[in-house]
Amino acid sequence: MFGQLAARLQEAIDRLRGRGRISEEDLKGTLREIRRALIEADVNLEVARAFVEGVRERALGQKVLESLTPAEVVLATVYEALKEALGGEPRLPVLKDRNLWFLVGLQGSGKTTTAAKLALYYKGKGRRPLLVAADTQRPAAREQLRLLGEKVGVPVLEVMDGEPPESIRRRVEEKARLEVRDLVLVDTAGRLQIDEPLMEELARLKAALAPDEVLLVVDAMTGQEALSVAQAFDARVGITGLVLTKLDGDARGGAALSARHVTGKPIYFAGVSEKPEGLEPFYPDRLASRILGMGDVATLAEKVRQAGLEAEAPKAAKDLTLEDFLRQLQNLRRLGSFSEVLGMLPGVGKALQGVQVDERAIKRLEAIVLSMTPEERKDPRILNASRRRRIARGSGTTVQEINRFVKAFEETKALMKSLEKRKGRGLMGMFRR
């Protein structure tokens, strides 16, 4: 979503590299490029102006015109401004002994799916969630949540057609008490557009249930329209926080950058995939770092921990086999797409701008190794011509691809051995040699 904005911002800052001291005109030119990049990314005009002015004030406050490394000063100030625009410090809803949250939003924003994702997320944190399908006019919406509830292993209470708010409240309280549920997630009614009957229904339900949190689910791909929706819901229902969905989409990302400033509400969560696990706490600092090509090692480390991979002990280069390669490749796929993981490494995301990582090629490598016998994986030196032809047939590849793969594996082992031998001399010394 932020690919185009990231490229433009990094390009504007890179123009200052290697220049020594810069003039005020140089700084103005860079800020002009930054503002243009924000507007092209569909960022709210007022937000773009405030952002650029904040960067200018911070940069001058750090005496950027006198610095011998102006690009680094501007990069640091843009990072701080981005983090602030996205919400500053990360925030999550405050949990109590008993909690009741509303999810509101337009139909198609991902509200029902988000309710199931939240239930799964907090179930993993030790909570006992209960989902409530509270659309009294659309049975299909209730059925959708019931199916999602079965998928994530969370019970669902379905309201009846035209059921009054007081009746819903009594049934919700009784079920939560009998089943000892400490987090009730109410998936409220959604419509294709904001209308008076919808707002009246939400207001009555809110008055009856008295929710602790009212989370507005916003489709990040709808651009500036999402902000007017947020303001309308806040005026009538009173929202306490936002959940941005479809951040893995290819829209321009302006809504995400503008939402915090325009609504004044924190962004609690971000939807990053269609999978039930595809919901993450929203970290402004991490997203700002990724937009500027500075990586996101913290999120990568979390993914490694969640996948249970941190306990794996590394092997010496001389002991590595294709069996190890296969396991590492499969572990890597558990962390997400190859390009996504690479983008979290500092500097790598920037180097890969404009480069399409072929995920199918990764699967072909896996198919090659899976087509080998255990003996061949342990020692690829036994791969003669007939064995290579058999592997090529089994993996749907060619003998030439097998040859390139085996050669690349042996070269990688040799490089790793060299790293192990020279680690005491420092990496720069090794690269000079």
Side-chain angles (χ1 to χ4, degrees), residues 47-185:
V47 174
R49 284 175 179 162
F51 182 93
V52 171
E53 182 58 27
V55 171
R56 189 187 71 82
E57 289 178 1
R58 279 195 180 99
L60 291 176
Q62 295 185 34
K63 299 182 179 179
V64 66
L65 302 182
E66 300 173 22
S67 173
L68 294 176
T69 54
E72 278 64 35
V73 174
V74 173
L75 178 64
T77 55
V78 171
Y79 166 76
E80 289 297 331
L82 264 178
K83 187 174 80 168
E84 188 177 310
L86 290 165
E89 295 302 315
R91 288 181 57 186
L92 287 175
V94 177
L95 285 167
K96 299 180 290 189
D97 291 339
R98 292 185 178 83
N99 307 271
L100 192 146
W101 298 354
F102 266 23
L103 276 80
V104 301
L106 294 183
Q107 188 178 331
S109 63
K111 177 171 54 63
T112 301
T113 307
T114 299
K117 288 179 177 180
L118 279 170
L120 180 62
Y121 176 83
Y122 280 106
K123 180 183 174 185
K125 301 289 183 184
R127 291 282 172 170
R128 291 177 53 79
L130 168 67
L131 290 165
V132 178
D135 193 328
T136 58
Q137 297 183 30
R138 293 175 55 239
R142 304 197 293 267
E143 175 68 7
Q144 181 190 0
L145 188 63
R146 186 186 66 78
L147 294 173
L148 287 170
E150 288 179 1
K151 192 172 184 179
V152 300
V154 173
V156 177
L157 172 67
E158 296 183 54
V159 303
M160 295 175 285
D161 287 342
E163 185 173 0
E166 284 301 321
S167 171
I168 295 173
R169 179 183 61 78
R170 284 193 297 272
R171 290 209 296 136
V172 167
E173 288 177 350
E174 183 180 7
K175 189 171 182 67
R177 179 176 56 80
L178 291 175
E179 298 186 8
V180 195
R181 298 290 164 179
D182 56 8
L183 176 59
V184 179
L185 299 166

Side-chain angles (χ1 to χ4, degrees), residues 332-372:
L332 184 62
R333 290 178 62 188
R334 286 164 62 188
L335 300 179
S337 70
F338 196 61
S339 53
E340 180 188 354
V341 173
L342 288 177
M344 293 181 190
L345 299 174
V348 178
K350 181 178 176 181
L352 288 176
Q353 275 180 12
V355 177
Q356 292 294 321
V357 178
D358 189 355
E359 302 288 342
R360 291 174 302 176
I362 309 298
K363 293 179 181 178
R364 287 166 75 85
L365 294 182
E366 187 177 359
I368 289 173
V369 183
L370 287 171
S371 299
M372 296 179 182

Side-chain angles (χ1 to χ4, degrees), residues 186-205:
V186 182
D187 178 30
T188 62
R191 299 290 181 271
L192 292 173
Q193 61 185 13
I194 293 175
D195 55 35
E196 193 58 31
L198 169 65
M199 290 303 183
E200 285 292 335
E201 181 180 346
L202 290 177
R204 288 196 302 272
L205 193 61

